Amino acid sequence: MVDCGTNYEEPSVPRNTPPTSDGIYFGLMSGTSLDGVDGIAVEFAAGKPPLVLADAFVSFADGLRGALLALQQPGENEIEREALASSALASRYAVCCHELLRSANVGPTRVRAIGVHGQTVRHRPEKGYTRQINNPALLAEMTHIDVVADFRSRDVAAGGQGAPLVPAFHAQIFGSDDETRVVCNLGGISNITILPAAVDASVGASVRGFDCGPANVLLDEWAFRHIGMPYDEGGRFGASGTVHQPLLNALLDEPFFEQAPPKSTGRDLFNAAWLDAKLAAFSDAELKPADVQATLAALTGVTIAREIERHASDCRAVYVCGGGARNPQLLKAIDAALARSGVNGVPVRTTDALGVPPHHVESLAFAWLAMRCVERTPGNLPAVTGAAGERILGAIYPR
């Protein structure tokens, strides 16, 4: 059995009390970095910005993280291992929900639904599937709250990539009447949303978004190997090195980077084996570990800057969110790459400048997507994912 780390304390509440309609939703996001789950409690009301009531972070125990990492690649007894990991993951989600209920001082009956992304273990839209493991039925059982899960499959069924799904939410809260903006999420994978000036919900077709390439997924891998830490805190390891241009050129020699959108990626492509294959052309004497870390940060910066130059050359600001927003070296790498591109002079800021903390953005997005599902309103943007049309995303597991 996978150790889920912390026992869940079940709230005491009658099962059959109907939820009120005050618009409180929870959003849970556990991303490619596999460090834990970010949760948010938010109240949505028509004509008003989202009101954040509480946030929480619950880390993954080493056993769960290892189990999830092992499921990224084919292996023995996958079905049982996935089932056990899914239940352990749901237990961590339940702990996060309990923290949100406590911090927001609300009871389960006041929460309309939990929007939970699940943990991506395979993403192969070109083969017609994407897999985010989770046990939403167990989560509903443990929290007595409706759960909305499996957001990506319907978009893939309609011929889309199933990702990224957050651009529709970005358009709702980050668009400007006066300027084209780019929102850049730095999770395990980097992705951008292009928001043309005066964008709103009625012109979603003009919004574009897609994955650019690796961000924290390779940086975290390399930091763990060489400094024994799950991530490069404050970017200090990378800051101690120098970009190795021949290695950067080798890393950039990847067909995905030249692929036209819509496109999405994940650990299926950008993983330890991919990095080791690129490093094999160089001797250990040529590459200091800190130089490799600095070069991986530069790779993220260059791949993002290239896509902005290709698809959003009129942008006037780049706003960064996700875990990578806490890494100053990554922000400097994006800024430096933009300065060398045709969009020189574009400021790089975090979404704090727009009133939303970077670590809130994705969990907020999945709370919003849960609301859209409950209201039977489409949540995807076909121009972003490549789906045949708008679709209601998610499957509902009643409490």
Side-chain angles (χ1 to χ4, degrees):
M1 184 73 176
V2 178
D3 177 17
C4 65
T6 303
N7 291 328
Y8 170 70
E9 181 182 345
E10 182 173 312
S12 177
V13 61
R15 288 177 181 272
N16 297 319
T17 304
T20 60
S21 56
D22 57 6
I24 296 176
Y25 289 81
F26 288 178
L28 306 179
M29 179 66 192
S30 53
T32 316
S33 295
L34 297 173
D35 55 346
V37 52
D38 284 298
I40 203 154
V42 56
E43 184 168 9
F44 295 110
K48 297 180 180 180
L51 175 62
V52 174
L53 305 176
D55 66 354
F57 175 78
V58 174
S59 63
F60 289 161
D62 289 343
L64 176 55
R65 186 180 189 278
L68 294 172
L69 190 60
L71 286 167
Q72 305 289 326
Q73 300 294 329
E76 185 180 356
N77 200 23
E78 284 181 283
I79 294 176
E80 180 172 334
R81 288 191 293 114
E82 180 183 319
L84 294 176
S86 296
S87 295
L89 186 63
S91 295
R92 299 308 285 164
Y93 290 152
V95 170
C96 190
C97 289
H98 181 65
E99 287 299 309
L100 292 172
L101 290 169
R102 181 188 61 79
S103 297
N105 194 28
V106 298
T109 57
R110 290 193 60 200
V111 182
R112 296 292 304 277
I114 302 165
V116 56
H117 172 264
Q119 190 67 49
T120 300
V121 293
R122 303 289 165 82
H123 183 64
R124 301 300 299 271
E126 75 281 4
K127 292 188 174 182
Y129 76 92
T130 185
R131 185 72 172 171
Q132 287 72 46
I133 69 168
N134 183 15
N135 190 338
L138 179 60
L139 181 59
E141 187 72 20
M142 297 174 88
T143 61
H144 309 315
I145 301 170
D146 287 1
V147 174
V148 185
D150 194 21
F151 289 96
R152 301 189 185 276
S153 292
R154 185 62 192 276
D155 186 88
V156 172
Q161 293 279 312
L165 295 182
V166 292
F169 176 69
H170 291 164
Q172 290 281 325
I173 62 169
F174 294 139
S176 167
D177 290 336
D178 305 317
E179 63 182 14
T180 295
R181 294 173 171 175
V182 169
V183 180
C184 176
N185 178 63
L186 296 176
I189 299 297
S190 68
N191 54 67
I192 61 172
T193 300
I194 302 166
L195 301 173
V199 71
D200 59 37
S202 66
V203 290
S206 64
V207 175
R208 288 174 291 167
F210 47 88
D211 288 351
C212 301
N216 298 319
V217 63
L218 297 182
L219 289 164
D220 292 351
E221 165 69 23
W222 195 251
F224 185 76
R225 284 194 202 184
H226 291 279
I227 61 174
M229 300 295 290
Y231 60 92
D232 181 9
E233 186 172 0
R236 289 188 284 272
F237 178 37
S240 69
T242 303
V243 174
H244 189 281
Q245 191 61 47
L247 174 59
L248 179 58
N249 294 340
L251 296 171
L252 288 167
D253 185 19
E254 165 57 52
F256 177 83
F257 299 137
E258 301 304 318
Q259 185 179 325
K263 61 178 180 178
S264 57
T265 189
R267 285 182 182 266
D268 302 81
L269 174 58
F270 295 110
N271 51 40
W274 182 89
L275 177 57
D276 288 339
K278 297 292 187 179
L279 293 171
F282 302 89
S283 68
D284 291 342
E286 290 179 85
L287 298 174
K288 297 178 181 178
D291 292 347
V292 174
Q293 188 77 353
T295 306
L296 290 172
L299 172 68
T300 298
V302 170
T303 51
I304 290 168
R306 285 183 175 180
E307 298 291 10
I308 292 174
E309 184 175 17
R310 289 167 181 161
H311 303 286
S313 59
D314 63 334
C315 88
R316 293 295 174 264
V318 175
Y319 295 95
V320 180
C321 58
R326 296 191 294 265
N327 184 336
Q329 285 303 112
L330 269 182
L331 301 186
K332 289 177 182 177
I334 297 169
D335 188 60
L338 285 171
R340 295 190 297 268
S341 74
V343 286
N344 182 26
V346 173
V348 178
R349 308 183 179 103
T350 73
T351 53
D352 276 317
L354 299 176
V356 183
H359 65 287
H360 281 181
V361 175
E362 282 210 299
S363 48
L364 262 174
F366 281 92
W368 182 82
L369 285 166
M371 178 191 67
R372 303 282 284 190
C373 181
V374 168
E375 293 181 348
R376 302 301 189 270
T377 306
N380 65 335
L381 293 178
V384 169
T385 66
E390 294 183 340
R391 297 291 186 269
I392 298 168
L393 306 179
I396 299 176
Y397 291 76
R399 61 197 180 90

